[in-house]
Amino acid sequence: MDAHDERGTTMTGVEPDRLDDQQLMRELETIHRTRHDTLLYGSNGALRAHNDRMAQLEGEYLRRNPRRPVAAGRTREGARERSAANATTPTTPGT
């Protein structure tokens, strides 16, 4: 078997709890950046591995940051307010 042949193994990377904060953020940025291509073009196994790794990394981030700031516009209530405001805002022709 070739040294780079990984059939039958799952590459999960370093355990998230062993990453320092900067490494964890880099891993999260990378996995989010590659998500779309994995969904569209990855095998079912690759997508499963991606899902598992993303859940591990995000879970670790949330564990470390239980009181992270949440933007009001990113909540259901904030989204409803945005939708209501957009529905009542008159549009001006030609602008």
Side-chain angles (χ1 to χ4, degrees):
M1 182 191 277
D2 180 35
H4 296 289
D5 189 352
E6 298 172 20
R7 286 177 287 184
T9 64
T10 302
M11 295 301 294
T12 57
V14 175
E15 290 296 321
D17 62 348
R18 295 183 62 203
L19 299 169
D20 65 31
D21 288 344
Q22 187 176 8
Q23 292 168 324
L24 179 61
M25 288 308 294
R26 265 196 314 269
E27 289 283 323
L28 282 165
E29 289 166 1
T30 298
I31 203 158
H32 285 117
R33 188 174 53 253
T34 60
R35 179 65 182 170
H36 190 74
D37 283 345
T38 304
L39 175 64
L40 294 179
Y41 308 114
S43 66
N44 288 341
L47 187 56
R48 254 190 313 279
H50 205 273
N51 288 342
D52 292 345
R53 181 65 173 170
M54 188 162 31
Q56 291 171 353
L57 294 168
E58 288 177 346
E60 181 62 19
Y61 178 83
L62 293 172
R63 185 188 70 75
R64 292 183 193 187
N65 300 281
R67 293 189 173 98
R68 74 190 194 292
V70 176
R74 300 299 297 176
T75 65
R76 287 184 181 178
E77 184 177 331
R80 283 192 292 271
E81 288 174 9
R82 231 181 9 257
S83 293
N86 289 340
T88 60
T89 303
T91 56
T92 306
T95 57

XYZ file of all heavy atoms in Angstrom:
747
model
N 0.847 -1.182 0.000
C 0.000 0.000 0.000
C 0.887 1.238 0.000
O 1.863 1.319 0.725
C -0.913 -0.019 1.230
C -1.850 1.155 1.268
S -2.728 1.357 2.833
C -4.075 0.248 2.654
N 0.532 2.207 -0.797
C 1.255 3.468 -0.882
C 1.156 4.212 0.450
O 0.126 4.186 1.112
C 0.646 4.300 -2.015
C 1.328 5.631 -2.194
O 2.551 5.723 -1.999
O 0.620 6.579 -2.538
N 2.211 4.910 0.842
C 2.230 5.633 2.117
C 1.141 6.698 2.193
O 0.702 7.058 3.274
C 3.595 6.272 2.329
N 0.680 7.184 1.039
C -0.354 8.216 1.034
C -1.747 7.655 0.785
O -2.700 8.408 0.725
C -0.037 9.279 -0.023
C 1.227 10.005 0.278
N 1.331 10.899 1.308
C 2.450 9.941 -0.290
C 2.564 11.376 1.350
N 3.260 10.802 0.387
N -1.845 6.360 0.660
C -3.140 5.727 0.431
C -3.851 5.622 1.778
O -3.388 4.942 2.674
C -2.939 4.343 -0.187
C -4.244 3.724 -0.649
O -5.321 4.261 -0.375
O -4.157 2.676 -1.288
N -4.989 6.306 1.899
C -5.685 6.358 3.175
C -7.017 5.623 3.137
O -7.871 5.856 3.985
C -5.890 7.820 3.584
C -4.592 8.544 3.771
C -4.783 10.030 3.975
O -5.898 10.441 4.336
O -3.823 10.769 3.759
N -7.191 4.726 2.182
C -8.438 3.975 2.121
C -8.624 3.205 3.416
O -7.702 2.602 3.938
C -8.431 3.009 0.942
C -8.598 3.708 -0.373
C -8.507 2.742 -1.496
N -7.098 2.349 -1.608
C -6.620 1.558 -2.528
N -7.425 1.047 -3.423
N -5.347 1.259 -2.583
N -9.847 3.235 3.916
C -10.159 2.483 5.115
C -9.782 3.205 6.405
O -9.998 2.689 7.485
N -9.232 4.403 6.313
C -8.910 5.153 7.521
C -9.685 6.463 7.509
O -10.117 6.933 6.466
C -7.407 5.489 7.617
O -7.058 6.344 6.543
C -6.561 4.232 7.584
N -9.877 7.008 8.662
C -10.539 8.300 8.767
C -9.522 9.293 9.283
O -8.961 9.115 10.348
C -11.739 8.228 9.747
O -12.637 7.234 9.270
C -12.439 9.550 9.845
N -9.286 10.337 8.504
C -8.365 11.377 8.929
C -9.171 12.412 9.705
O -10.038 13.061 9.137
C -7.690 12.022 7.712
C -6.800 11.070 6.953
S -5.480 10.374 7.944
C -4.517 11.830 8.261
N -8.895 12.524 10.975
C -9.654 13.466 11.789
C -8.820 14.634 12.266
O -9.356 15.576 12.816
C -10.258 12.763 13.017
O -9.196 12.154 13.761
C -11.262 11.708 12.599
N -7.515 14.612 12.068
C -6.676 15.709 12.523
C -6.425 15.646 14.012
O -6.788 14.689 14.694
N -5.823 16.692 14.510
C -5.515 16.799 15.937
C -6.818 16.966 16.708
O -7.720 17.687 16.275
C -4.580 18.006 16.187
C -4.325 18.218 17.666
C -3.280 17.838 15.427
N -6.904 16.318 17.849
C -8.096 16.467 18.690
C -8.288 17.955 18.998
O -7.337 18.635 19.391
C -7.941 15.677 19.994
C -7.976 14.179 19.806
C -9.313 13.690 19.287
O -10.367 14.222 19.721
O -9.313 12.781 18.453
N -9.488 18.474 18.827
C -9.721 19.906 19.023
C -9.304 20.421 20.393
O -8.823 21.545 20.506
C -11.232 20.052 18.805
C -11.568 18.946 17.873
C -10.679 17.803 18.297
N -9.449 19.616 21.434
C -9.079 20.098 22.767
C -7.566 20.227 22.951
O -7.101 20.816 23.918
C -9.696 19.240 23.863
C -9.226 17.794 23.844
O -8.591 17.355 22.859
O -9.510 17.085 24.833
N -6.778 19.703 21.999
C -5.323 19.839 22.058
C -4.818 21.045 21.269
O -3.636 21.357 21.298
C -4.668 18.560 21.536
C -4.986 17.361 22.444
C -4.305 16.113 22.012
N -2.860 16.327 22.087
C -1.989 15.633 21.391
N -2.402 14.696 20.560
N -0.699 15.862 21.504
N -5.709 21.725 20.541
C -5.338 22.905 19.759
C -5.377 24.136 20.655
O -6.269 24.257 21.504
C -6.312 23.104 18.598
C -6.403 21.987 17.564
C -7.586 22.212 16.643
C -5.111 21.882 16.783
N -4.432 25.059 20.452
C -4.556 26.327 21.170
C -5.609 27.169 20.441
O -6.109 26.781 19.377
C -3.207 27.047 21.318
C -2.585 27.513 20.009
O -3.325 27.843 19.055
O -1.344 27.555 19.930
N -5.971 28.300 21.013
C -7.057 29.110 20.448
C -6.786 29.534 19.006
O -7.681 29.489 18.160
C -7.313 30.350 21.307
C -7.972 30.012 22.633
O -8.501 28.894 22.786
O -7.967 30.888 23.521
N -5.560 29.926 18.718
C -5.212 30.367 17.363
C -5.297 29.205 16.369
O -5.825 29.356 15.264
C -3.810 30.968 17.361
C -3.435 31.605 16.051
C -2.071 32.287 16.119
O -1.339 32.164 17.098
N -1.731 33.007 15.071
N -4.817 28.045 16.759
C -4.891 26.864 15.886
C -6.338 26.464 15.645
O -6.714 26.101 14.532
C -4.126 25.697 16.508
C -2.637 25.894 16.558
C -1.956 24.856 17.437
O -2.499 24.437 18.465
N -0.772 24.425 17.023
N -7.147 26.520 16.693
C -8.560 26.176 16.560
C -9.250 27.100 15.566
O -9.997 26.648 14.691
C -9.261 26.239 17.924
C -10.753 25.929 17.918
C -11.041 24.515 17.418
C -11.337 26.144 19.312
N -8.976 28.398 15.654
C -9.588 29.341 14.724
C -9.132 29.079 13.288
O -9.941 29.147 12.359
C -9.273 30.789 15.120
C -10.018 31.241 16.363
S -11.802 30.981 16.309
C -12.262 32.098 14.998
N -7.866 28.750 13.104
C -7.377 28.431 11.748
C -8.075 27.189 11.206
O -8.467 27.147 10.037
C -5.860 28.218 11.760
C -5.085 29.460 11.405
C -3.637 29.162 11.041
N -2.966 28.253 11.950
C -2.258 28.607 13.025
N -2.117 29.876 13.321
N -1.684 27.708 13.790
N -8.221 26.180 12.044
C -8.917 24.958 11.617
C -10.372 25.265 11.247
O -10.882 24.755 10.253
C -8.868 23.905 12.732
C -7.508 23.302 12.956
C -7.145 22.275 11.912
O -8.029 21.514 11.471
O -5.966 22.224 11.528
N -11.031 26.079 12.053
C -12.421 26.440 11.760
C -12.530 27.227 10.460
O -13.426 26.971 9.645
C -13.013 27.255 12.912
C -13.431 26.439 14.128
C -13.640 27.347 15.332
C -14.683 25.636 13.824
N -11.634 28.170 10.257
C -11.655 28.948 9.019
C -11.456 28.048 7.804
O -12.152 28.182 6.796
C -10.575 30.029 9.064
C -10.905 31.145 10.029
C -9.722 32.048 10.334
O -8.623 31.839 9.784
O -9.897 32.988 11.130
N -10.541 27.109 7.912
C -10.267 26.197 6.796
C -11.458 25.301 6.506
O -11.864 25.149 5.349
C -9.023 25.336 7.094
O -7.893 26.202 7.242
C -8.759 24.334 5.989
N -12.038 24.727 7.539
C -13.137 23.786 7.306
C -14.368 24.498 6.762
O -15.084 23.970 5.911
C -13.448 22.938 8.553
C -14.138 21.649 8.114
C -14.259 23.707 9.582
C -14.038 20.528 9.097
N -14.606 25.728 7.207
C -15.741 26.468 6.654
C -15.481 26.878 5.206
O -16.389 26.869 4.382
C -16.065 27.684 7.525
C -16.744 27.310 8.797
N -16.204 27.541 10.025
C -17.923 26.689 9.027
C -17.026 27.088 10.962
N -18.080 26.563 10.376
N -14.248 27.212 4.902
C -13.897 27.595 3.527
C -14.059 26.409 2.562
O -14.445 26.578 1.421
C -12.455 28.127 3.499
C -12.051 28.731 2.181
C -10.664 29.383 2.215
N -9.618 28.503 2.704
C -9.015 28.597 3.905
N -9.340 29.560 4.740
N -8.081 27.749 4.254
N -13.778 25.202 3.017
C -13.839 24.027 2.138
C -15.206 23.339 2.135
O -15.424 22.393 1.376
C -12.764 22.999 2.541
O -12.994 22.578 3.889
C -11.365 23.584 2.409
N -16.123 23.816 2.948
C -17.425 23.156 3.101
C -18.193 23.030 1.787
O -18.720 21.971 1.457
C -18.264 23.922 4.128
C -19.634 23.358 4.342
C -19.531 22.015 4.948
N -20.861 21.442 5.118
C -21.068 20.203 5.444
N -20.049 19.409 5.659
N -22.262 19.734 5.566
N -18.296 24.110 1.054
C -19.114 24.114 -0.159
C -18.606 23.100 -1.186
O -19.386 22.319 -1.736
C -19.143 25.524 -0.757
C -20.135 25.695 -1.844
N -21.481 25.778 -1.617
C -19.977 25.788 -3.188
C -22.114 25.909 -2.759
N -21.227 25.926 -3.729
N -17.302 23.094 -1.426
C -16.739 22.142 -2.382
C -16.915 20.705 -1.921
O -17.176 19.812 -2.730
C -15.254 22.421 -2.629
C -15.038 23.608 -3.554
O -16.005 24.030 -4.222
O -13.900 24.113 -3.607
N -16.788 20.476 -0.628
C -16.981 19.112 -0.115
C -18.419 18.669 -0.319
O -18.676 17.540 -0.726
C -16.602 19.031 1.376
O -15.260 19.491 1.538
C -16.707 17.612 1.899
N -19.359 19.553 -0.060
C -20.773 19.229 -0.267
C -21.061 18.930 -1.732
O -21.710 17.939 -2.062
C -21.658 20.387 0.214
C -23.151 20.230 -0.059
C -23.714 19.044 0.704
C -23.872 21.509 0.307
N -20.554 19.767 -2.622
C -20.860 19.606 -4.037
C -20.100 18.464 -4.703
O -20.651 17.759 -5.549
C -20.562 20.899 -4.789
C -21.438 22.103 -4.426
C -21.004 23.317 -5.229
C -22.908 21.807 -4.643
N -18.837 18.277 -4.337
C -17.981 17.383 -5.110
C -17.359 16.233 -4.328
O -16.732 15.366 -4.925
C -16.846 18.191 -5.765
C -17.367 19.377 -6.536
C -17.091 20.671 -6.126
C -18.166 19.207 -7.665
C -17.569 21.771 -6.820
C -18.657 20.297 -8.361
C -18.357 21.579 -7.940
O -18.847 22.659 -8.630
N -17.504 16.225 -3.020
C -16.887 15.175 -2.222
C -17.713 13.896 -2.228
O -18.921 13.918 -2.452
N -17.042 12.801 -1.962
C -17.753 11.524 -1.834
C -18.594 11.552 -0.558
O -18.434 12.443 0.288
C -16.744 10.383 -1.742
O -16.005 10.490 -0.522
N -19.480 10.584 -0.424
C -20.290 10.498 0.793
C -19.399 10.359 2.021
O -19.662 10.965 3.059
C -21.271 9.332 0.709
C -22.386 9.597 -0.271
O -22.651 10.746 -0.633
N -23.034 8.540 -0.721
N -18.329 9.586 1.901
C -17.403 9.415 3.017
C -16.692 10.707 3.364
O -16.504 11.032 4.539
N -16.298 11.458 2.337
C -15.630 12.737 2.576
C -16.580 13.717 3.261
O -16.185 14.442 4.176
C -15.119 13.327 1.264
N -17.828 13.727 2.846
C -18.805 14.618 3.456
C -19.068 14.216 4.903
O -19.155 15.076 5.788
C -20.110 14.619 2.653
C -21.164 15.627 3.085
C -20.625 17.050 3.071
C -22.386 15.508 2.188
N -19.156 12.927 5.171
C -19.334 12.452 6.544
C -18.160 12.868 7.421
O -18.332 13.362 8.534
C -19.487 10.934 6.571
C -20.894 10.461 6.831
C -20.968 8.956 7.083
N -20.222 8.148 6.134
C -20.653 7.802 4.929
N -21.827 8.191 4.510
N -19.908 7.055 4.132
N -16.941 12.676 6.899
C -15.744 13.053 7.660
C -15.719 14.560 7.900
O -15.357 15.023 8.992
C -14.485 12.606 6.917
N -16.112 15.321 6.892
C -16.155 16.784 7.014
C -17.164 17.189 8.086
O -16.874 18.039 8.933
C -16.526 17.385 5.658
C -16.045 18.779 5.458
N -16.774 19.861 5.877
C -14.920 19.265 4.881
C -16.115 20.976 5.554
N -14.980 20.637 4.950
N -18.344 16.575 8.052
C -19.377 16.861 9.059
C -18.870 16.564 10.460
O -19.066 17.355 11.388
C -20.634 16.020 8.803
C -21.408 16.470 7.597
O -21.251 17.578 7.103
N -22.267 15.585 7.110
N -18.238 15.401 10.616
C -17.732 14.997 11.932
C -16.682 15.973 12.442
O -16.731 16.411 13.591
C -17.151 13.587 11.888
C -18.198 12.511 11.662
O -19.409 12.799 11.811
O -17.794 11.380 11.315
N -15.727 16.314 11.573
C -14.651 17.218 11.985
C -15.195 18.608 12.298
O -14.805 19.235 13.284
C -13.577 17.293 10.885
C -12.412 18.184 11.221
C -11.614 17.671 12.389
N -10.404 18.467 12.573
C -9.619 18.371 13.609
N -9.870 17.497 14.571
N -8.544 19.129 13.708
N -16.120 19.090 11.476
C -16.691 20.412 11.717
C -17.437 20.417 13.054
O -17.308 21.376 13.830
C -17.627 20.836 10.583
C -18.056 22.275 10.726
S -18.741 23.092 9.253
C -19.525 21.814 8.360
N -18.183 19.380 13.343
C -18.903 19.305 14.619
C -17.929 19.286 15.795
O -18.173 19.940 16.817
C -19.800 18.064 14.643
N -16.819 18.561 15.659
C -15.823 18.527 16.727
C -15.226 19.913 16.963
O -15.122 20.374 18.109
C -14.682 17.568 16.371
C -15.052 16.120 16.347
C -13.916 15.275 15.775
O -12.913 15.783 15.288
N -14.083 13.963 15.841
N -14.812 20.567 15.888
C -14.182 21.883 16.005
C -15.160 22.931 16.542
O -14.821 23.718 17.430
C -13.621 22.325 14.652
C -12.455 21.495 14.114
C -12.187 21.845 12.649
C -11.201 21.690 14.958
N -16.374 22.946 16.006
C -17.356 23.919 16.465
C -17.750 23.657 17.908
O -17.929 24.595 18.697
C -18.583 23.907 15.556
C -18.298 24.515 14.192
C -19.480 24.457 13.246
O -20.455 23.727 13.520
O -19.419 25.145 12.211
N -17.875 22.394 18.276
C -18.187 22.048 19.661
C -17.113 22.533 20.618
O -17.410 23.056 21.701
N -15.852 22.380 20.221
C -14.750 22.853 21.054
C -14.764 24.367 21.161
O -14.552 24.925 22.239
C -13.411 22.367 20.501
C -12.207 22.797 21.305
C -12.181 22.279 22.735
O -12.890 21.295 23.054
O -11.437 22.858 23.555
N -15.036 25.053 20.051
C -15.117 26.516 20.087
C -16.218 26.961 21.054
O -16.015 27.865 21.879
C -15.379 27.083 18.683
C -15.524 28.580 18.712
C -14.409 29.401 18.689
C -16.779 29.167 18.801
C -14.534 30.785 18.753
C -16.920 30.543 18.861
C -15.800 31.346 18.838
O -15.937 32.702 18.917
N -17.375 26.346 20.957
C -18.486 26.706 21.838
C -18.177 26.382 23.298
O -18.558 27.126 24.199
C -19.772 26.009 21.386
C -20.314 26.474 20.039
C -21.481 25.586 19.612
C -20.711 27.929 20.068
N -17.482 25.281 23.535
C -17.102 24.917 24.904
C -16.185 25.981 25.501
O -16.343 26.371 26.652
C -16.392 23.555 24.919
C -16.071 23.045 26.321
C -15.200 21.808 26.283
N -13.848 22.086 25.840
C -12.898 22.677 26.583
N -13.165 23.074 27.802
N -11.681 22.866 26.097
N -15.254 26.476 24.689
C -14.308 27.491 25.167
C -14.920 28.886 25.258
O -14.411 29.737 25.970
C -13.107 27.584 24.219
C -12.242 26.365 24.233
C -11.057 26.571 23.331
N -10.368 25.330 23.069
C -9.219 25.251 22.414
N -8.631 26.352 21.957
N -8.659 24.074 22.204
N -15.970 29.122 24.516
C -16.555 30.466 24.430
C -18.056 30.440 24.715
O -18.863 30.834 23.864
C -16.302 31.056 23.031
C -14.837 31.170 22.726
O -14.176 32.084 23.188
N -14.316 30.218 21.967
N -18.452 30.009 25.903
C -19.891 29.883 26.184
C -20.626 31.220 26.208
O -21.828 31.270 26.008
C -19.926 29.218 27.563
C -18.627 29.591 28.191
C -17.637 29.662 27.052
N -19.889 32.298 26.418
C -20.527 33.620 26.486
C -20.132 34.489 25.297
O -20.045 35.704 25.411
C -20.140 34.301 27.796
C -20.723 33.602 28.993
C -20.519 34.412 30.257
N -21.220 33.797 31.356
C -20.650 33.006 32.252
N -19.363 32.740 32.172
N -21.358 32.487 33.229
N -19.920 33.851 24.158
C -19.527 34.616 22.971
C -20.623 35.609 22.622
O -21.805 35.369 22.876
C -19.248 33.672 21.807
C -20.494 33.068 21.200
C -20.162 31.974 20.222
N -21.296 31.633 19.424
C -22.402 31.045 19.852
N -22.519 30.705 21.114
N -23.399 30.771 19.025
N -20.241 36.753 22.060
C -21.260 37.746 21.696
C -22.133 37.237 20.553
O -21.639 36.619 19.616
C -20.450 38.964 21.261
C -19.073 38.476 20.996
C -18.891 37.189 21.754
N -23.405 37.475 20.680
C -24.366 37.070 19.647
C -24.999 38.331 19.088
O -25.580 39.124 19.837
C -25.442 36.125 20.228
C -26.486 35.781 19.173
C -24.800 34.864 20.792
N -24.878 38.541 17.795
C -25.464 39.713 17.143
C -26.980 39.550 17.094
O -27.491 38.496 16.704
C -24.901 39.867 15.736
N -27.685 40.590 17.479
C -29.147 40.536 17.513
C -29.740 40.149 16.162
O -30.730 39.428 16.085
C -29.709 41.877 17.972
N -29.112 40.612 15.081
C -29.613 40.296 13.751
C -29.438 38.842 13.358
O -30.003 38.395 12.363
N -28.661 38.080 14.136
C -28.421 36.667 13.830
C -29.335 35.748 14.629
O -29.179 34.536 14.625
C -26.967 36.302 14.123
C -25.953 37.090 13.318
C -26.081 36.886 11.840
N -25.832 35.498 11.504
C -25.948 34.987 10.293
N -26.313 35.750 9.295
N -25.705 33.726 10.067
N -30.322 36.307 15.318
C -31.297 35.506 16.046
C -32.587 35.440 15.241
O -32.792 36.219 14.305
C -31.596 36.136 17.424
O -32.223 37.405 17.217
C -30.332 36.293 18.261
N -33.484 34.542 15.597
C -34.769 34.458 14.892
C -35.555 35.752 15.044
O -36.142 36.251 14.092
C -35.581 33.281 15.423
C -35.034 31.963 14.984
C -35.898 30.843 15.444
N -35.298 29.585 15.004
C -35.793 28.415 15.285
N -36.888 28.311 16.005
N -35.200 27.323 14.856
N -35.542 36.295 16.256
C -36.267 37.539 16.492
C -35.686 38.674 15.647
O -36.424 39.453 15.038
C -36.215 37.911 17.969
C -37.034 39.147 18.307
C -37.025 39.437 19.791
O -36.905 38.489 20.586
O -37.141 40.623 20.137
N -34.376 38.762 15.583
C -33.729 39.796 14.777
C -34.042 39.636 13.308
O -34.265 40.623 12.588
N -34.089 38.412 12.825
C -34.426 38.164 11.421
C -35.872 38.558 11.135
O -36.166 39.136 10.084
C -34.198 36.696 11.079
N -36.775 38.281 12.073
C -38.179 38.678 11.885
C -38.305 40.192 11.844
O -39.049 40.741 11.032
C -39.053 38.091 12.995
C -39.364 36.620 12.807
C -40.451 36.170 13.766
N -40.016 36.178 15.147
C -39.433 35.158 15.764
N -39.212 34.041 15.127
N -39.092 35.259 17.029
N -37.558 40.879 12.704
C -37.598 42.341 12.710
C -37.073 42.903 11.392
O -37.626 43.857 10.856
C -36.783 42.893 13.883
C -37.432 42.668 15.222
C -36.556 43.092 16.380
O -35.498 43.716 16.161
O -36.937 42.785 17.520
N -36.017 42.294 10.871
C -35.451 42.725 9.592
C -36.466 42.539 8.476
O -36.649 43.403 7.633
C -34.190 41.904 9.289
C -33.004 42.707 8.942
C -31.757 41.932 8.617
N -31.829 40.507 8.458
C -31.434 39.616 9.386
N -30.954 40.009 10.528
N -31.523 38.329 9.147
N -37.139 41.395 8.473
C -38.142 41.112 7.439
C -39.302 42.094 7.524
O -39.788 42.584 6.509
C -38.673 39.686 7.583
O -37.656 38.762 7.305
N -39.729 42.388 8.742
C -40.829 43.331 8.919
C -40.429 44.727 8.474
O -41.203 45.438 7.821
C -41.291 43.347 10.378
N -39.211 45.133 8.782
C -38.729 46.455 8.373
C -38.627 46.543 6.867
O -38.967 47.566 6.265
C -37.380 46.756 9.019
N -38.165 45.514 6.223
C -38.047 45.505 4.756
C -39.400 45.530 4.095
O -39.571 46.114 3.031
C -37.257 44.285 4.282
C -35.783 44.389 4.624
O -35.263 45.470 4.875
N -35.125 43.252 4.641
N -40.393 44.905 4.703
C -41.738 44.868 4.122
C -42.428 46.212 4.213
O -43.263 46.552 3.376
C -42.574 43.795 4.810
N -42.063 47.035 5.206
C -42.745 48.322 5.383
C -41.954 49.492 4.840
O -42.450 50.603 4.810
C -43.020 48.575 6.879
O -41.773 48.598 7.584
C -43.946 47.517 7.447
N -40.737 49.255 4.384
C -39.917 50.340 3.834
C -40.333 50.611 2.396
O -40.246 49.728 1.542
C -38.416 49.961 3.871
O -38.068 49.651 5.218
C -37.550 51.092 3.344
N -40.797 51.829 2.129
C -41.195 52.132 0.742
C -39.955 52.259 -0.136
O -38.915 52.698 0.312
C -41.925 53.472 0.852
C -41.421 54.080 2.131
C -41.022 52.927 3.023
N -40.109 51.852 -1.364
C -39.004 51.975 -2.304
C -39.229 53.217 -3.149
O -40.363 53.565 -3.484
C -38.897 50.746 -3.218
O -40.135 50.572 -3.886
C -38.556 49.504 -2.413
N -38.166 53.890 -3.447
C -38.230 55.085 -4.275
C -37.791 54.747 -5.672
O -36.661 54.274 -5.856
C -37.318 56.202 -3.691
O -37.675 56.405 -2.333
C -37.457 57.475 -4.484
N -38.653 54.945 -6.675
C -38.256 54.614 -8.043
C -37.067 55.469 -8.476
O -36.956 56.638 -8.121
C -39.484 54.955 -8.887
C -40.614 55.151 -7.924
C -40.011 55.425 -6.591
N -36.163 54.847 -9.205
C -35.024 55.560 -9.781
C -33.848 55.702 -8.851
O -32.913 56.409 -9.155
N -33.902 55.066 -7.647
C -32.742 55.157 -6.756
C -32.118 53.809 -6.556
O -32.627 52.816 -6.813
C -33.125 55.725 -5.360
O -34.130 54.900 -4.794
C -33.548 57.150 -5.468
